[in-house]
Amino acid sequence: MIRRLVRGAAAGALSTLTMSAVMLAGQRAGLMPGQPPRHIVRAALPGHRHRPKRGERALGALAHLGFGAATGAAFGLLTGNRKPTVRLGVGYALLVWLGAYQGWVPALNILPPASHDPVPGRPAVMAAAHVVYGATLALAVDAMRRAGGTATEEDR
């Protein structure tokens, strides 16, 4: 179980980096203003929840990496000894996206729900970023299991 957690966390951190590349590309293309992890950290820090704060960029990146690692660790546990397929990883990541951007992020008044976002490009960029996260996560967990000599049920 510890091995699954650690591999999932490492795969989640790696996958967060690939996802972040999609998010940065979306921002640079003008499809969304700023990075959602920064908005989330901004709201959590003392002061006005929608005004920029010192250190929010670095804290946002660290929080995003930590959340991605934790979500990856959960995926590592949930997949157990089954082969983590790309389809399963993408589905899992899209559920995480829906839970966050239709659930707790708007509930905390940080960003509007994805279904009512006045920035039309943000939901598309964030959904695409989560697809990349999920695909990378499944491939990385599977590669780490194989490299570590842990057979999946399909390998037996």
Side-chain angles (χ1 to χ4, degrees):
M1 183 166 90
I2 298 297
R3 191 175 297 163
R4 288 184 202 136
L5 275 171
V6 171
R7 286 181 181 157
L14 170 70
S15 301
T16 301
L17 297 176
T18 62
M19 160 187 213
S20 295
V22 174
M23 293 165 58
L24 286 170
Q27 182 180 353
R28 289 193 178 132
L31 297 173
M32 62 181 197
Q35 295 295 311
R38 189 183 316 167
H39 293 292
I40 293 167
V41 165
R42 181 182 292 169
L45 291 172
H48 192 281
R49 64 186 307 113
H50 297 293
R51 291 210 176 107
K53 298 178 182 115
R54 198 165 21 151
E56 70 182 31
R57 178 177 290 190
L59 288 172
L62 285 173
H64 193 227
L65 192 62
F67 187 78
T71 305
F75 182 78
L77 277 181
L78 291 170
T79 55
N81 286 332
R82 293 180 306 276
K83 180 178 175 63
T85 64
V86 169
R87 185 183 324 185
L88 180 64
V90 168
Y92 175 76
L94 287 173
L95 286 174
V96 170
W97 173 69
L98 283 172
Y101 293 97
Q102 281 293 117
W104 66 268
V105 172
L108 294 174
N109 194 30
I110 297 169
L111 291 170
S115 59
H116 294 90
D117 198 325
V119 180
R122 184 167 37 213
V125 170
M126 293 307 294
H130 281 80
V131 166
V132 168
Y133 173 88
T136 306
L137 179 64
L139 293 170
V141 166
D142 188 46
M144 288 179 193
R145 285 182 180 164
R146 289 179 185 282
T150 305
T152 63
E153 288 177 359
E154 291 180 9
D155 295 331
R156 292 184 188 132

